[in-house]
Amino acid sequence: MDISLHKKRIVTAIGLALIPILALVFQGWVFFTVLALFCSFTLWEFYNLFKSHQGIKTVKSLGAIYTFLLLAAFSTGNLLYPALVFMSAFWTAAFIFLFRYSTDLNASFVQAMIFLTGLLYIPVNFHFFLHFNRWECALVIGAAAISDTAAFYSGSLWGKKKIWPKVSPKKSWAGSIGGMTACTVLISVYGLIFGHASLWQWIFLGIILNIAAQMGDFFESALKRSLAVKDSGSILPGHGGLLDRVDSMLLVVPAYGLMRMVHPYFQ
């Protein structure tokens, strides 16, 4: 294992952990602002994966605006408002395509699809944070972090047989099992101390969240490979871009959002 890479990953992870910790301490508009900015930068990286497509600069600018609008709408607790904002985003993209097509018959609707997919992928998935309490925010962040970290180190130490080489050549069965084990243990211990559910319910939740984390990771890996991109960015030493760091969390957050509707883990 590259020692310098190992140190970079640790320093970067600690630095990233401070952001949600501070936001959770202050809550309110501070938390909203941090979440909106984080989503905007991550969405910018997502759109940048498609930089070879015409008109992607317009898409990136619109994405930042609609990220704030969507999160503000979701924060009201009334689903009518985010539905209206997303409808507005669709028609904005549609009219941009319409005017381009009126002057260029080769204009493509692909930019609009990338724009709308990005909004669904990042701010819509992350909006659940606005309705989680401190314990739940810590739970989903911890589940994603321990899944990635344990998978990385167990895979580096013992990984030989690859789990899905066509999608992600470096990920192994040892890494997958290590991530699953660590996530389940962490969630169970954390839940029994701070939450309200039986041991088996916490174990089941840990398994579900780890599966979500791994699928989120695989999805972004497949997306980058299909676009011949190694990393979504270079802002995080040892990790690549923000999207590379939170790809697993993008499925963990909505997965927990669904699970908490079935059982109130933190009353």
Side-chain angles (χ1 to χ4, degrees):
M1 186 186 301
D2 187 342
I3 300 300
S4 62
L5 176 62
H6 173 75
K7 290 181 179 178
K8 286 180 180 179
R9 290 180 70 91
I10 292 177
V11 172
T12 301
I14 293 173
L16 279 176
L18 292 175
I19 298 174
I21 289 173
L22 290 173
L24 287 171
V25 168
F26 290 102
Q27 287 279 302
W29 68 268
V30 175
F31 182 77
F32 175 87
T33 303
V34 170
L35 180 64
L37 288 173
F38 188 83
C39 286
S40 296
F41 282 116
T42 307
L43 186 61
W44 187 278
E45 286 188 349
F46 172 78
Y47 289 145
N48 211 41
L49 295 175
F50 303 88
K51 58 187 176 183
S52 61
H53 290 265
Q54 182 184 11
I56 207 66
K57 289 184 178 179
T58 303
V59 166
K60 290 194 289 188
S61 299
L62 284 173
I65 295 170
Y66 272 99
T67 291
F68 277 83
L69 292 176
L70 273 172
L71 291 177
F74 274 118
S75 69
T76 66
N78 187 335
L79 291 180
L80 174 63
Y81 296 119
L84 290 174
V85 172
F86 197 82
M87 187 185 303
S88 167
F90 170 81
W91 283 110
T92 297
F95 284 134
I96 290 174
F97 164 72
L98 173 63
F99 290 122
R100 281 182 175 164
Y101 188 78
S102 66
T103 57
D104 180 9
L105 295 181
N106 292 317
S108 172
F109 195 64
V110 171
Q111 300 95 287
M113 290 189 289
I114 294 171
F115 169 59
L116 296 172
T117 299
L119 293 179
L120 287 171
Y121 184 38
I122 296 170
V124 171
N125 275 332
F126 270 173
H127 92 273
F128 288 96
F129 271 122
L130 297 171
H131 307 293
F132 293 166
N133 60 36
R134 288 185 174 91
W135 305 110
E136 292 174 315
C137 288
L139 177 91
V140 295
I141 293 171
I146 195 65
S147 294
D148 287 348
T149 304
F152 175 79
Y153 287 110
S154 57
S156 298
L157 292 171
W158 304 295
K160 293 182 179 180
K161 188 173 180 57
K162 305 306 177 184
I163 187 171
W164 207 346
K166 289 186 178 180
V167 174
S168 186
K170 293 183 179 180
K171 291 181 175 60
S172 64
W173 281 103
S176 178
I177 294 171
M180 174 73 76
T181 303
C183 181
T184 303
V185 170
L186 175 70
I187 295 301
S188 298
V189 172
Y190 180 86
L192 289 174
I193 295 174
F194 300 109
H196 301 277
S198 69
L199 174 60
W200 292 110
Q201 287 174 311
W202 290 116
I203 290 174
F204 182 67
L205 179 64
I207 292 171
I208 293 297
L209 295 187
N210 180 259
I211 292 173
Q214 294 195 43
M215 289 299 102
D217 201 352
F218 277 125
F219 169 74
E220 202 230 354
S221 294
L223 180 63
K224 289 190 297 185
R225 288 178 68 80
S226 71
L227 296 168
V229 176
K230 184 178 184 299
D231 294 316
S232 66
S234 57
I235 192 173
L236 303 176
H239 288 282
L242 288 171
L243 184 58
D244 297 319
R245 178 67 278 189
V246 301
D247 52 3
S248 57
M249 198 184 303
L250 283 163
L251 268 186
V252 171
V253 173
Y256 177 72
L258 175 63
M259 293 298 293
R260 76 195 288 264
M261 294 175 65
V262 177
H263 180 81
Y265 291 92
F266 296 89
Q267 297 175 345

